[in-house]
Amino acid sequence: MSDTTQMFEALMDRALVAGRGARQIAAPNPWVGAVLVTEDGSEVFVGATEAPGERHAEIVALEAAGERARGGTLVVTLEPCSHHGRTAPCCDAIEAAGVARVVVALSDPDPKVDGEGISRLRAAGIDVVEGIRQHEAAEQLAAYLHHRRTGRPLVVLKLAATLDGRTSAPDGTSKWITGPEARQDVQRLRADSDAIAVGAGTIRADDPELTARTDPPPHRQPLRVVLGEIPDGARVLPARSLTGPLPEMLDTLGAEGILQLLVEGGATVAHAFVDAGLVDRFVVYLAPGIMGGDDGAPLFRGAGSATLDDLWRGRFVSVVRLGEDLRLEVAG
């Protein structure tokens, strides 16, 4: 690996950190990070996407640098935009600032961009380097990329279970299967989601609020969605009640700018999403406990695979220890 590539990767790592911090602020726009280094490498300026209608990450970094941007290198986690939306094109600002090189992790699949930004930069005589930390940027922007490619939110199914796959005891008790560290991680997952969905049965049984309780508080609370009729006086109110086929529900939410939907329903709702092939990510919190017996609620309730040939298989994205529990993330 060349010294130049190592430098680009180090700068992109800083851009990724900046982009991660903009997750809740920027949506439904992409949470992009940008780093501008001066021509002599002596100064670095960092930017992150602001709230919708405000500055993109590239503009934040360019404005912080001012005249020092001329001849410099701009490192950005997603292809700069080339079209007029709520803000002017970033490509125009990059060219006007006299930036010599732009390093991009990913091209933007949004039909309004889709390679046009990179083409515009190259046509202006700016050197463009692509693919630096591509995998890491794709993971960070997974919800945005999925939404732009499909028109639907990324569906994340959250589950918590014992080692033998039980989500509650025979008497219905389920609090708490996992420890405080895992439960706090769930709050962060909620805060990073644009909507949370549960079945009406969960509302009747547990009467949850479905809010994200993080410290500091999240920038905004996710939309709360109940599949079915919401009982009067439920703590989840005001919430959205949706009925009908799940694919149509995802189309509706996607059209409204929901990029990530966190499904927290019980075994029946979980099975419905899995059976329909609508789950993009599984986040399973696994506790080191065994319930035993034939009773108790399973992870999924419904007809399963008849043979190994029908088994759903994915790939492990990450395995993280949280206190005494494990957080398993699996993608299709």
Side-chain angles (χ1 to χ4, degrees), residues 158-183:
K158 187 272 291 184
L159 301 161
T162 60
L163 281 177
D164 53 346
R166 299 297 176 179
T167 61
S168 69
D171 65 358
T173 55
S174 60
K175 295 182 179 180
W176 294 102
I177 286 177
T178 56
E181 294 88 351
R183 297 199 298 272

Side-chain angles (χ1 to χ4, degrees), residues 27-29 110-111 143-155 194-197 223 225 240 242 245-262 273 278 280:
N29 292 335
D110 189 306
Y144 169 80
L145 299 173
H146 179 86
H147 179 267
R148 291 303 190 269
R149 289 167 179 154
T150 68
R152 291 178 174 178
L154 184 83
V155 176
D194 305 289
I196 302 173
L223 173 70
V225 176
R240 183 92 167 269
L242 291 178
L246 294 179
E248 293 181 9
M249 182 194 77
L250 296 182
D251 289 336
T252 297
L253 293 175
E256 295 175 0
I258 300 298
L259 304 186
Q260 180 166 300
L261 173 66
L262 178 63
F273 274 89
L278 297 175
D280 302 298

Side-chain angles (χ1 to χ4, degrees), residues 50 52 81 92 97 101 107 134 169 179 181 233 247 259 269 279 282 311:
E50 297 176 336
C81 65
D92 290 355
R101 180 187 295 114
S107 60
Q134 181 175 4
E181 294 88 351
L259 304 186
V269 168
V279 179
F282 293 84
L311 186 68

Side-chain angles (χ1 to χ4, degrees), residues 6 44 50 64 68 71 80 87 94 101 122 138 158 176 183-184 205 212 231 238 241 244 251 285 306 322:
Q6 288 182 323
V44 174
E50 297 176 336
R68 289 165 291 184
T87 60
I94 294 169
R101 180 187 295 114
R122 285 179 170 149
K158 187 272 291 184
W176 294 102
R183 297 199 298 272
Q184 188 57 43
S241 174
D251 289 336
Y285 297 92
L322 298 171

Side-chain angles (χ1 to χ4, degrees), residues 286-301:
L286 197 60
I290 295 176
M291 194 165 294
D294 297 324
D295 297 323
L299 278 171
F300 304 102
R301 182 176 286 114

